[in-house]
Amino acid sequence: MTTPDVELERGDLFDPNCSTRWLVDRIGSKWVSMIVKVLAEEPSVEVRFAALRRRTPGISQKMLSQTLRTLERDGLVTRRVEPTVPPRVHYALTPLGHSLEARLAVLRDWAEEHMRAVGDARAAYDAAP
């Protein structure tokens, strides 16, 4: 996915070329929300790559690496490498990343509060002729 030029003012979510649309798509991925949550649980401590992988069930090493690189590029995560053999790589949320976590927490709360209603609606839809 290519990155549109960053706009200086609010965008138009309905414009396919809008940076807002691109960013909402990016942060809406399940892996981003899981990784941000794991890093937010350790606010004053960096988390090593292997620990992130263990605490993010179902993610492949490649997908975790790609997602972390993207989060780092977007300014949401910092990366620190210890020059050991093998290298130890540590990640932490930036202040911008913490601000995203606060918003994602609200979304997770909403999902948990409304899981049953959505499940009931799905069951009713699937049962309809």
Side-chain angles (χ1 to χ4, degrees), residues 8-9 13 16 27 63 66 69 81 93 96 100 104 118-119 121:
L8 297 178
E9 53 188 68
L13 186 61
I27 62 177
M63 181 55 67
Q66 288 175 343
R69 270 196 302 273
V81 180
L93 286 180
L96 185 61
L100 173 60
L104 291 174
V118 170

Side-chain angles (χ1 to χ4, degrees), residues 69-115:
R69 270 196 302 273
T70 300
L71 290 171
E72 183 182 12
R73 182 173 182 237
D74 291 345
L76 300 167
V77 168
T78 60
R79 178 178 184 260
R80 183 176 64 82
V81 180
E82 286 183 40
T84 59
V85 178
R88 291 183 180 153
V89 184
H90 305 263
Y91 295 90
L93 286 180
T94 64
L96 185 61
H98 280 288
S99 72
L100 173 60
E101 164 52 20
R103 274 62 174 193
L104 291 174
V106 171
L107 182 59
R108 282 192 305 272
D109 289 344
W110 181 91
E112 290 175 4
E113 183 178 333
H114 295 92
M115 280 186 318

Side-chain angles (χ1 to χ4, degrees), residues 2 5-6 10 12-13 21 25 30 32 34 39-40 42 45 56 59 62 73 79 96 104 110 117 119 122-123 127:
T2 61
D5 293 332
V6 176
R10 294 182 76 87
D12 176 4
L13 186 61
R21 186 173 181 166
D25 183 51
K30 67 181 176 183
V32 167
M34 286 182 180
L39 291 172
E42 303 292 341
V45 179
T56 312
I59 195 168
K62 179 181 177 183
R73 182 173 182 237
R79 178 178 184 260
L96 185 61
L104 291 174
W110 181 91
R122 284 181 175 185

Side-chain angles (χ1 to χ4, degrees), residues 1-7 12-13 15-29 70 73-74 76:
M1 174 189 288
T2 61
T3 306
D5 293 332
V6 176
E7 300 168 4
D12 176 4
L13 186 61
D15 177 355
N17 297 314
C18 177
S19 296
T20 302
R21 186 173 181 166
W22 164 82
L23 189 56
V24 167
D25 183 51
R26 165 78 53 83
I27 62 177
S29 101
T70 300
R73 182 173 182 237
D74 291 345
L76 300 167

